Amino acid sequence: MKKKIIYILALFTIGFASCSKWLDIQPESEIDRSLLFTTEAGFKEALLGIYIRCSKTDLYGRELTVGTPEVLVQNYQIQPADNYRYLQTKNYRYNDTEFIRRKDSIWVGMYNGIVNTNLILEEIDAKEHLFTGDNYRLIKGEALALRGYLHFDVLRMFAPAHRVAPEAQAIPYVTSYSNRATEMATVSSALDSVISDLEHAKVLLADDPIRSAAYIINYPTVSDTLRHTELHHPDLFLQNRRHRLNYYAVCGTLARVYLYKEDKMKALENALIIINAQKFPWTNSTDFLAVADDKKDRILYKELLFSWYTPTLNNALNSNWFTETQYGMYLDDTDTQTIYETSDISGDMRYTQWFATSSASGSFYSTILKYRRNPLGDTFVANLHYLVTPGIRLSEIYYIAAECVFETDQTRALNYFDEVRSHRGIGSKLEVSTLAQFQAELLKEYRKEMYAEGQLFYAYKRLNAPIIGLRGEIISANQNIFVWPLPNDEIIYGQR
């Protein structure tokens, strides 16, 4: 018997870092929706509030970025003391109470965001007259994009990959703000719904300010001596488009989704929109290698098509999660050298800039610096850029393009691959001749480039490939690992 899902319409507080206003979105029975959406400002803050909710530590502010997906691909060493209770997760024991608590919290948080996109979408068409400029299309486009983006990640966690079981029961695709049950969709139909929302969003965002020649992708500290940069747009709501699901981020998400559905033609089509636009510059090595901490761009900020704004992450990660002792998440230095193949290829800047070697009790280990920030705080006076966690990188778009064309044009595929490698300080060209060799190198590059960003687990799952541990151990491709158990009945039926 198919399960029906009733989602928690939980109260949560919304707002945005640049705004002093705050609103509460409450369950439908407790608020007159006509009061919430009487102005354009109400719609803006409702949208921005969803981004803030998704940037909390139980979702993209930690757990879905540096947390569970990274643990599952064996990207950390964990001491037996297991301060953060991830050792059972590392060993794929999905009946562990801490794993259950975390994945149930993810489920609730993701659907909370989804439900609130639906609240916006059910109100916005009747209120189009409230909006100035192109804000109606921008807000509706972003709400649709968020609904697709969040459903897709829930699918990648809680359902089989399309390659393995396209007609398997997957997740519900929720498109209304109500407490009515929603039927479970199949993997294939859920992907079709994701694509439908994203394609609709792409049309609505056709005139996104980020596509304007006047919108310069740069660091927010750079003086605006020529034209409007991303920080200095005269309309506050239109600034920092890369902190939201802008036109190019939607194209990047579509490239991801089409590749997951094994539609390489459409995946390539969307990847090439980004590549050919040449909107996003590769990070200069002088910025990546800068000695002064307030000038160093560890996150490769200009290359981010989309990111989650996480201003409080610095202390949460670097004082606790990635500590300078072996009690947090760390790597043995030999493991880090293995990831970046330092014995074979010299000059990979990611190895030198994202890890620091320390010693304890005669052993050498790597402290993870990728999210390390200037201690003065997250202001663009003290730092080169805002503190964010990556949503979609330019490099991933090149990897997608390479994967899409490898079987028809190996030279072109390897050129896409080497474009990324060259900007990471690797001068040698990649040499592979078979699809299996290419996929092995692809997974290596996902690990190198998107370490502690949560994407490698999904790549292994999409390809149904064995997970390669840091010491070379092979964890066979297994649906009991790749598919997280659905929440228990109390959470499924919204009784939490």
Side-chain angles (χ1 to χ4, degrees), residues 425-453:
I426 301 173
S428 61
K429 303 294 185 182
L430 186 65
E431 295 182 6
V432 298
S433 57
T434 68
L435 180 60
Q437 291 172 338
F438 173 78
Q439 288 183 346
E441 293 299 326
L442 178 73
L443 290 167
K444 286 182 184 178
E445 284 299 315
Y446 264 83
R447 177 168 261 145
K448 295 174 188 176
E449 178 73 2
M450 288 174 268
Y451 185 90
E453 294 182 16

Side-chain angles (χ1 to χ4, degrees), residues 479-490:
Q479 295 309 296
N480 290 329
I481 289 174
F482 287 145
V483 181
W484 299 3
L486 289 171
N488 62 38
D489 285 346
E490 284 191 357

